[in-house]
Amino acid sequence: MEKEDPRNRMTVFDMVSKFEGGRSRTDEDQRKLAKPRALMPPGARLEAPRPADPEHWPQREQDRETPQRKHGEDSRGPRHSPLPARKDCEPPGSKEPPGASRDFTWKRMHSFRKRHSTQRLIRREVKSTLEGPEEEEEETVKEEKKVKETVEEKLFKIAKELLDTEKAYVSRLHLLDQVFYAELLKEARSGSSFPEDIVKQIFSNISSVFQFHQQFFLPELQRRMDDWGSNPRIGDILQKVAPFLKMYGQYVCCFDRAMDLITTWMEKSPRFEEIVLDIQKREACGNLTLQHHMLEPVQRVPRYEMLLKDYLKKLPPGSPDRADSEKALEIIFEAAKHSNAAIADMERLEKLWEVYEMLGMEEEMVDPSNKLIKEGPILKISFRSASRKERHIFLFNNMLLYCVPKFSLVGVRFFIRTRLDMDGMQVKDLNDVEFPHAFLVSGKLRTLELQARSQEEMQSWIQACQQAIDQNEKKTESFKAATSNLAQDLQQVTVARQELGKRAPQLIRDKLVSMCMRCKEPFNAFIRRRHHCRACGYVVCWKCSDYKAALEYDENRLNRVCFECSSILEGQTGSRDREDKKRGILEKEAAEVSGRSLMCSFLQVLEKNGRVGSRGWFVIPRDEPMILYMYAAPQDVKAQSTIPLLGYQVKELLPGDNRCAFQLTQSKQTLSFLAESEEQRERWAEIINQVANGENQWSLDD
């Protein structure tokens, strides 16, 4: 195949010239245009010969001859560049550059299009001016009538779509109820391939749904559509049938379970699979599976809601059907919420059964009405060794389960150590210095000291427990003022005399006391062992705890109690009064004083040689601000010593001093202490200076 010569190709200019009646370029023209510019003489220009005969000139160039163009002006206005004037006086043999002729041709074509567009615009404006106001009014009426007809048509189309989809939906319900359900139920009753109960669980209340739509909803809708010309409305019908849509809640609730049962029995029972597959091959099924058809009732209520919303959007504001339609939409929305609530309840039950399986709960503890509120790991504080152990708690609406983790990935994963019923439960923040983020859960059978991993987690647990307690009190109407008005500022939950032995006390941790909380004798490792009174929770010595009493919260079994609780439980109430009369100035319980103090915390006493001495619990009571009480432990019932603060001043720190240390100076006496932090040191210095100067600023927070 020969290669085409580029010189023989037709250019755009050739096409335009031919269209205008001119000629194509000759070989001589091509050679002149292809001549290198460097070989041309200076000042020379590329030129193309102009046809000698005027008949070969472009037709539109022959016809133009206006005064404006003679002077080089364009009738289109100053925005366009003027065209060069014609030179009719030129001899036929004169020449002009080929580029100029091409530009001139394109400009003439552009000018023609502009003039043509302007003429059409002028004709349109003249026509609109000639039309009178009567014709404009007629146009407006026609447009309004067209819009009105469009709205009515849209409303009819929505109602027609509702009827058509309802007919198709009823046919699907007939397939589910009268074909699938009926044939499977017949086989289950006649043979032993699969149980009848499984079939009923799969299809739930599909028979009720089918009867409602076939015998009631569809006939009502069909009659209304037949009478649409005289009564174009559907809101009243939907308002009438909407309350019955709540029956879908049961079907939706059982849907996931039904899907699992179908899958299981398709694999387990060949006869079940055979019947289902045989029905699916029929023309009525439309090559769809049983699961696909069972999904339609789940989607039907949202479909009603969507169609009715669209209907209300097209409905005029003053339509008589608006009130009924809005009411129907509200009821359908409630039905949808009812279905969603059924789904949420189903998910709650599934989660509940998972928890029951992890706990291996006994049958009497399993209750489907329970609600799991919160669950998670927690640290349990031991009252014996003050150590912390990993535990797990489950908070339900009616109880709290205290569990021990079991190292197992399947089956039972937790042992239930204690169950605390919600009746009579109390929860509070301990504000413990030694164990931050600790809180107390006190039930009738046991009291637990728990520690969270952060302040936010602790507040979350306290809030969840308190809400469960409040809800239980409202439900059972067992709210008691004495229970809710217990002293919240104490470090412990105090067991009232009327509740002594009826609820488990908070057992005071061993390390929080240094002496018997009854006889006030100091403990030692040999002859003064610590014991807990199981009625009040105090730490007492063997001599003060050598008593037994039947405690109601422990099923009236005999437990070790102190002499004070033994007297109360036996009806002897005078021992407490006798003890109060013998109290001295130091015999004030540290927990009681700390609960109404200006300042309290652990401090270490520094000896004169700078060595760190004993660690104690120091308290400045709010009702006795001039006295600093020193206890060996935060729960001691007797102070070791007191220091009158009047006249003492806090000495300023020197450059080499410990930033957590401070000194109290009075005359020649100096007392040195070491706080646990700089912030605590600043707090102590501020309070002591105010007390020593007699300032009455006791609104400071503890």
Side-chain angles (χ1 to χ4, degrees), residues 588-597 619-623 629 631:
K588 292 187 176 182
E589 296 183 7
E592 181 182 354
V593 177
S594 300
R596 46 183 176 81
S597 65
V619 184
I620 300 179
R622 189 177 294 273
D623 54 354
Y629 284 83
Y631 295 88

Side-chain angles (χ1 to χ4, degrees), residues 195-246:
E196 178 182 346
D197 183 59
I198 294 297
V199 180
K200 292 181 178 180
Q201 289 183 39
I202 291 175
F203 292 95
S204 186
N205 63 336
I206 193 66
S207 297
S208 301
V209 175
F210 171 62
Q211 292 176 8
F212 163 71
H213 284 272
Q214 184 196 40
Q215 301 177 11
F216 183 66
F217 189 18
L218 181 59
E220 286 282 338
L221 194 59
Q222 182 65 60
R223 284 192 293 269
R224 178 55 53 86
M225 292 304 298
D226 294 341
D227 195 31
W228 183 264
S230 59
N231 191 14
R233 55 190 302 179
I234 58 173
D236 55 339
I237 295 179
L238 292 176
Q239 183 182 356
K240 187 189 303 183
V241 303
F244 295 95
L245 297 180
K246 288 188 177 180

